Amino acid sequence: MYTKLDRLLYFLLYFIPDIEHEETWYLLIRKYGTYLTRIDPGLVVAALLPLVAILPTLGNGIIAGADSVFNVHRIYSMKLMFQHGILYPRWIPYFHLGYGYPIFNFYAPGVSYLGGLFSLLGLSPETAYTLVATLAVVLGSTGTYLLGRRFFSSTAGLLAAMLWVYAPTRLFEFWQMGSLAQMMATALIPWLFWGLAQAIHHPTRRSIPYIALPLAGIIMTHQPTTFITAMVVAPAAFILPIWTATRASDTVWRRFVVVFGGLALGVGLAMIFLLPVVLELHYILAAESLPGTVDRLTRNFFLPADLFALPRPLDTTDLNPVMVSSMGLVGGLLAVLGAASLFRRKRIGLVILLLAGLMFTLYMATESSLSVWLTIPYLEQLRFPVRFLRMGTVFLALLGGASLLLLPQRWRLAGCITGMAFVMLQAMPLVAPHQNFSHWENISAADEVNMEMTLHNWGSTSYGEFDPAWGDQVPYDPPDPAQYRDDPMLIPVHQLTGYEDIIVEQIDSMAVKVTTARARPVVFRQFYFPGWTAAMDGTQIEIYPESRYGLVTVDVPPGEHLITLAYTGTIAQQAGAMLTFLSIGILIFLYARRGDTIDMKREVKERVSRPVSAGIIAGIVIVAFLNRLVIMPNTHWFRFESPPNAPYYMQTAVYIPFGDAFQLLGYTLEQDSVNPGGWLNITLYWQATYEISRSFRPIIQLVNLSRTEAWAVTEPVSLSPNLGGTTQGMTPDHFLSVTYKLRALEDIPPYIGLITVQLLDTENDEAQLLPDGTNSLVIGSPIRVSGADTANQPTLDYRLGDVLRLNCASLQPAGDDLVIDLYWHVLETPPRDFKTFIHGLDQAGELVVTGDRNPLNGDYPPSYWLPGQTLHDRYTLPWSDGLMSVAVGLYYPDSRERLPVTNKSQPVRDNRILLPIKAVSCE
């Protein structure tokens, strides 16, 4: 009896040209087609959910994110090493200006390795980068779907996957950061959680690989994500087996064995990378905290109000559009509903776990967690608290998916589709925020060297943190990049002064013929690192680092000798590889040996039907191509396109030229005050006046009114920190917005300050001049410094004009001066500014010396004083033996009228306060 499917298959096979043996083909399709019918349609939908985000990335090259160019060079270096027969590269000889770099010994090589394999198959490194990024987002989406399906239902899993894929912090990672390793590692977190859930509910040996494989993937892909994951998984591994076990003690024991067995196997699989990192970390500079690490960390903390910020449309004319890196408002609202639904259904344990995970990640992203960052060893070196939000999206997505449980069964599919639509609408401004792509015609090792010379990102890292620790200083002298284009493995003899009498002939990449008349050390242009070996005339010889730069050095006797270098690895590297191979064997054994199996069908609840799945897929495809082919190129939906001299988000116009290269268009400042130790954020909008061929950096400061002290200063970064740290190539047809974060000093007084801007040419550190000939521009209104008042013990009760009270006064000689400390308490804001008269009097009350001036040195005019403030005001008079007292009072400089003075409600003669020369403890 033929079914409709049978007839359709025969019909199709009959009309396909050059097909013979239709019966055989039919049987094969029927056999393997049954496996396809077992696939959950929701899983297919989850795999295609990222299509709207993926299509815009398929441009001419790769997205010009902050780290994307580094990843392309790492992928290319992997391909080169493969081509030279090195199956697990650790050292790249041409990195760090040709001095070599142990990049893959300390930077997890997973995505570079995968990209290198794709590139080896014929793909360009750019295409390999995009393919790995696509694979990462698809893995994360499907993993989150499986989690949501396990705990709730298929529809909840789809909504959770949508929330994970299109969370603003994930799109920020995709379009602005471009950290391929972090993309992949965070995509594996849902799979690790799913593996833990499998092991807890099915504690059999078949569950062990479900934990081991994603954990090994995370370790092999990204250290910061590994660190963060360990902070969550480690306590969960102890708590979950006990919390979820029945009363039978054997189930608790089985859960512990399976969970910790999976974690141990995952660590074992990653030992090829992990063991050398642990044992050889002290060989590199990253073993010590880099300068400015804590300051950089505090600059990157989130304000609580920004954690769920709604993305705003971006300006396509802006070279540096600010992308929101939050969890998203829609996700936050759905998470609240999801938590309520779980409480309502009395799934207390699950909701506590999800809320605890979410609250932990949110806490670690804010400055209130700074003590935790500084307490846990090496945690501050992660530098970017936003990394915790990438894990937090998993908890948020699951809670958001659970919101469907509030609806009746028949409305859940409609609720899922509606929720997905709102998530997509929220994400549209971030799906294609720009079309800035980087492209190489024929990428080579020379491009890496040129990039380092231009951007100063040594060894494709931000801070040169993997530079070996030998040597007194790190060399930065540039080589000829062209020599690495044809021979990327080249290791020449280093040209040092005093070595003119040596004759060197480069035989091949790592071999030289040396002729010398006397015994001498020969230094190579390559950092020393354990694992380097050298042979002279076929015989192994000692190798050591020279003292200045820590370069590979060998001692050569007189005569002609052939010296060959090779990187053969260390004992730790070889032992790590052996442990990884052993772990692979255990993994194969667990899969190959027959035993308990897990029935995946039992966890599928409310399975999405094929017609519904097809409809959702069709909708995704339509939206993706509509956005890519119509909305992006032909409309300004979800984005703006400002004139280059009138940014849409600029609040205040300035239009002041700085030299002949740049014009400050204006600024956006949403603060009028700052706390001591707090942050002051200002966005400046710059426009080039012609195509720029050099780099500039600004200095933004919060200064006192007299501009003699700086209370907050920006760190010395380029004008364009998110465009590779350079302004080269900027043209007048775009503008550049940069948000600067100024950290106020902890001990600044509660005064008011001014924001000043300078622009320096980085080549000579010369400040660019303004039209008036100065080099510093004051912008905005005065900024009030909020903070605690000066603590004091009131000993006086003089009132001046019903606006001030003199609480305390202390007068004491100090060297050649008489120091006068006054403590004013503000009763009401003075209507206008006044000056202080300080009159030194002799025993007869006659005037000896005067010291009139503005209160608080003029840095805080009285008309800005706030009721309730207590201000410490210090004056000095030249000391004289005839001084017996000091008269103090206030007057208006234009009329010389004194403010009336009362003491205990009684008028004081001459409206002046007579103070004896006496030290008083006022604070």
Side-chain angles (χ1 to χ4, degrees):
M1 196 81 177
Y2 289 108
T3 64
K4 292 181 179 180
L5 178 60
D6 294 328
R7 295 191 182 97
L8 178 61
L9 287 174
Y10 270 124
F11 178 79
L12 292 175
L13 289 170
Y14 179 80
F15 284 99
I16 295 177
D18 302 324
I19 285 287
E20 297 180 358
H21 309 296
E22 291 93 339
E23 185 74 25
T24 303
W25 279 102
Y26 164 76
L27 292 175
L28 288 173
I29 294 173
R30 286 286 296 181
K31 177 181 178 180
Y32 293 103
T34 56
Y35 291 108
L36 295 177
T37 61
R38 297 177 187 175
I39 296 177
D40 178 7
L43 194 62
V44 179
V45 176
L48 292 174
L49 280 180
L51 186 62
V52 181
I54 291 170
L55 274 187
T57 68
L58 306 179
N60 183 26
I62 60 165
I63 302 169
D67 294 343
S68 54
V69 62
F70 305 151
N71 284 287
V72 170
H73 284 296
R74 291 170 190 157
I75 289 172
Y76 178 72
S77 70
M78 274 289 186
K79 173 189 174 183
L80 284 178
M81 297 300 108
F82 292 157
Q83 290 174 335
H84 283 82
I86 303 172
L87 299 182
Y88 189 87
R90 297 181 184 273
W91 185 279
I92 308 299
Y94 64 87
F95 274 27
H96 192 114
L97 301 173
Y99 283 101
Y101 207 57
I103 176 71
F104 296 123
N105 199 54
F106 298 101
Y107 187 92
V111 292
S112 301
Y113 201 97
L114 183 59
L117 290 176
F118 287 146
S119 188
L120 196 64
L121 294 174
L123 299 180
S124 70
E126 302 166 19
T127 305
Y129 170 94
T130 303
L131 182 58
V132 174
T134 300
L135 179 61
V137 71
V138 170
L139 276 174
S141 178
T142 52
T144 306
Y145 167 76
L146 289 177
L147 266 178
R149 188 185 73 175
R150 159 164 280 286
F151 290 126
F152 311 120
S153 66
S154 294
T155 52
L158 286 178
L159 181 55
M162 190 77 176
L163 285 165
W164 185 90
V165 171
Y166 293 99
T169 187
R170 299 218 57 83
L171 296 173
F172 175 87
E173 176 69 53
F174 212 70
W175 281 92
Q176 189 142 338
M177 290 306 299
S179 175
L180 196 60
Q182 189 163 257
M183 290 182 211
M184 181 63 76
T186 52
L188 292 172
I189 291 176
W191 287 94
L192 177 59
F193 289 171
W194 181 78
L196 284 170
Q198 290 292 108
I200 293 298
H201 290 89
H202 305 284
T204 68
R205 68 169 181 274
R206 287 296 182 94
S207 296
I208 292 177
Y210 295 138
I211 298 175
L213 288 174
L215 177 60
I218 293 171
I219 296 173
M220 291 293 295
T221 303
H222 197 232
Q223 291 103 306
T225 303
T226 301
F227 206 135
I228 293 169
T229 302
M231 294 176 69
V232 173
V233 171
F238 285 97
I239 295 171
L240 292 180
I242 299 174
W243 195 347
T244 59
T246 63
R247 294 184 180 180
S249 61
D250 65 322
T251 59
V252 177
W253 177 83
R254 285 172 62 87
R255 283 173 168 81
F256 270 116
V257 169
V258 172
V259 169
F260 280 92
L263 296 176
L265 182 59
V267 172
L269 290 169
M271 272 297 177
I272 192 172
F273 167 72
L274 195 58
L275 189 64
V277 168
V278 173
L279 297 183
E280 298 177 352
L281 182 63
H282 62 283
Y283 293 155
I284 59 174
L285 299 181
E288 302 177 0
S289 182
L290 297 171
T293 296
V294 176
D295 182 62
R296 191 171 290 109
L297 169 66
T298 55
R299 288 177 185 274
N300 291 317
F301 277 121
F302 279 74
L303 295 174
D306 294 336
L307 290 170
F308 294 96
L310 191 67
R312 68 180 189 180
L314 302 183
D315 196 327
T316 58
T317 314
D318 193 349
L319 291 174
N320 183 36
V322 178
M323 292 184 64
V324 170
S325 184
S326 69
M327 306 282 267
L329 181 61
V330 173
L333 294 176
L334 290 176
V336 171
L337 296 176
S341 71
L342 293 176
F343 274 117
R344 179 185 175 189
R345 289 174 170 264
K346 295 183 170 52
R347 301 184 67 177
I348 305 301
L350 180 58
V351 72
I352 288 176
L353 287 174
L354 294 178
L355 285 176
L358 179 60
M359 296 308 295
F360 169 73
T361 56
L362 295 177
Y363 168 72
M364 292 300 296
T366 59
E367 194 167 1
S368 56
S369 66
L370 181 59
S371 60
V372 179
W373 284 84
L374 300 181
T375 301
I376 299 176
Y378 297 110
L379 183 59
E380 76 268 16
Q381 294 198 27
L382 270 62
R383 292 188 291 267
F384 298 103
V386 69
R387 300 185 197 272
F388 278 88
L389 295 191
R390 311 278 156 69
M391 171 176 281
T393 54
V394 179
F395 303 114
L396 182 87
L398 291 175
L399 286 169
S403 64
L404 296 180
L405 302 181
L406 286 174
L407 299 174
Q409 179 77 30
R410 64 182 181 276
W411 291 106
R412 287 179 187 171
L413 178 59
C416 174
I417 295 173
T418 303
M420 293 169 69
F422 276 106
V423 173
M424 180 57 68
L425 283 174
Q426 174 187 254
M428 286 304 290
L430 306 181
V431 164
H434 62 79
Q435 285 295 293
N436 300 324
F437 287 80
S438 299
H439 175 64
W440 298 261
E441 288 296 335
N442 293 292
I443 191 170
S444 70
D447 293 307
E448 162 73 23
V449 177
N450 282 320
M451 179 197 71
E452 293 181 9
M453 292 166 58
T454 302
L455 304 183
H456 297 173
N457 293 104
W458 317 116
S460 77
T461 57
S462 299
Y463 311 104
E465 53 263 42
F466 301 144
D467 281 327
W470 291 270
D472 298 328
Q473 55 185 291
V474 179
Y476 297 109
D477 57 302
D480 177 12
Q483 63 184 332
Y484 296 103
R485 180 175 291 109
D486 299 324
D487 192 357
M489 306 295 286
L490 178 67
I491 301 180
V493 170
H494 191 52
Q495 300 299 318
L496 297 175
T497 58
Y499 280 26
E500 292 79 5
D501 60 338
I502 189 172
I503 299 175
V504 178
E505 179 184 356
Q506 195 82 36
I507 303 301
D508 62 24
S509 301
M510 296 189 182
V512 296
K513 183 182 290 185
V514 175
T515 304
T516 176
R518 59 185 177 88
R520 61 175 311 126
V522 174
V523 182
F524 290 85
R525 190 185 177 91
Q526 198 75 181
F527 284 128
Y528 171 83
F529 195 83
W532 276 111
T533 61
M536 184 167 60
D537 302 326
T539 303
Q540 200 83 6
I541 59 174
E542 181 185 358
I543 189 171
Y544 62 93
E546 56 90 32
S547 60
R548 184 181 181 188
Y549 295 139
L551 303 182
V552 167
T553 306
V554 296
D555 291 324
V556 179
E560 182 181 278
H561 304 282
L562 178 65
I563 302 173
T564 305
L565 298 181
Y567 188 81
T568 58
T570 63
I571 294 176
Q573 294 167 9
Q574 294 161 3
M578 293 176 62
L579 290 173
T580 291
F581 285 124
L582 177 62
S583 300
I584 292 173
I586 296 173
L587 185 69
I588 294 172
F589 170 78
L590 292 174
Y591 270 120
R593 189 182 177 200
R594 294 183 179 181
D596 296 333
T597 58
I598 300 173
D599 184 6
M600 297 297 181
K601 292 183 179 180
R602 293 179 57 188
E603 72 174 46
V604 180
K605 305 166 187 176
E606 302 173 24
R607 188 166 182 169
V608 180
S609 67
R610 287 188 176 82
V612 171
S613 299
I616 296 176
I617 291 173
I620 294 169
V621 171
I622 291 172
V623 172
F625 281 95
L626 184 67
N627 179 60
R628 184 68 178 87
L629 302 177
V630 179
I631 296 176
M632 286 177 53
N634 301 313
T635 76
H636 290 153
W637 295 359
F638 312 110
R639 55 189 61 86
F640 300 110
E641 186 175 0
S642 298
N645 63 345
Y648 180 84
Y649 289 112
M650 185 175 73
Q651 291 182 343
T652 305
V654 173
Y655 298 111
I656 297 293
F658 280 71
D660 64 345
F662 279 95
Q663 177 182 212
L664 179 62
L665 300 175
Y667 62 91
T668 295
L669 178 62
E670 297 179 352
Q671 294 175 245
D672 58 8
S673 64
V674 64
N675 295 321
W679 292 102
L680 179 65
N681 299 332
I682 182 171
T683 301
L684 302 183
Y685 298 84
W686 302 89
Q687 184 187 26
T689 55
Y690 53 83
E691 184 172 352
I692 305 299
S693 59
R694 58 192 193 277
S695 295
F696 293 83
R697 68 178 180 90
I699 298 179
I700 296 91
Q701 299 184 93
L702 177 65
V703 300
N704 60 355
L705 290 186
S706 58
R707 300 171 71 173
T708 58
E709 295 181 16
W711 295 335
V713 184
T714 53
E715 61 180 355
V717 298
S718 163
L719 180 63
S720 177
N722 292 326
L723 296 177
T726 179
T727 55
Q728 296 180 19
M730 287 182 58
T731 54
D733 57 345
H734 286 79
F735 67 86
L736 175 72
S737 72
V738 184
T739 298
Y740 302 95
K741 302 185 69 173
L742 288 75
R743 183 67 177 262
L745 300 176
E746 296 283 353
D747 58 351
I748 57 176
Y751 297 172
I752 58 171
L754 301 173
I755 297 176
T756 63
V757 179
Q758 288 182 297
L759 186 64
L760 276 62
D761 188 329
T762 57
E763 292 183 1
N764 50 30
D765 268 351
E766 289 186 1
Q768 304 301 292
L769 296 181
L770 304 176
D772 61 3
T774 63
N775 61 17
S776 179
L777 177 68
V778 176
I779 60 173
S781 303
I783 300 296
R784 180 172 295 280
V785 178
S786 306
D789 296 331
T790 304
N792 72 101
Q793 299 292 331
T795 59
L796 303 173
D797 189 21
Y798 288 99
R799 294 177 181 252
L800 296 92
D802 292 328
V803 294
L804 297 178
R805 183 177 68 229
L806 182 62
N807 273 0
C808 189
S810 177
L811 291 76
Q812 56 182 329
D816 295 332
D817 295 323
L818 176 65
V819 177
I820 304 155
D821 290 302
L822 306 178
Y823 292 81
W824 306 110
H825 181 75
V826 184
L827 302 175
E828 295 182 11
T829 299
R832 54 191 176 125
D833 294 336
F834 44 70
K835 294 184 71 172
T836 307
F837 66 82
I838 306 291
H839 295 169
L841 308 177
D842 60 15
Q843 189 169 5
E846 297 297 325
L847 182 65
V848 176
V849 63
T850 64
D852 295 11
R853 65 172 174 80
N854 292 319
L856 302 170
N857 245 1
D859 287 332
Y860 191 20
S863 56
Y864 286 95
W865 294 2
L866 297 177
Q869 283 188 310
T870 300
L871 304 172
H872 178 199
D873 198 8
R874 172 166 287 187
Y875 302 83
T876 59
L877 289 176
W879 173 249
S880 170
D881 292 336
L883 283 178
M884 300 302 294
S885 62
V886 174
V888 175
L890 304 173
Y891 67 94
Y892 297 115
D894 53 351
S895 64
R896 310 293 296 181
E897 176 189 359
R898 293 182 178 181
L899 273 69
V901 179
T902 61
N903 184 22
K904 298 180 181 179
S905 302
Q906 298 299 315
V908 175
R909 181 182 176 184
D910 295 333
N911 290 321
R912 65 178 186 173
I913 303 169
L914 295 177
L915 300 173
I917 299 176
K918 176 183 177 182
V920 177
S921 177
C922 291
E923 296 187 11

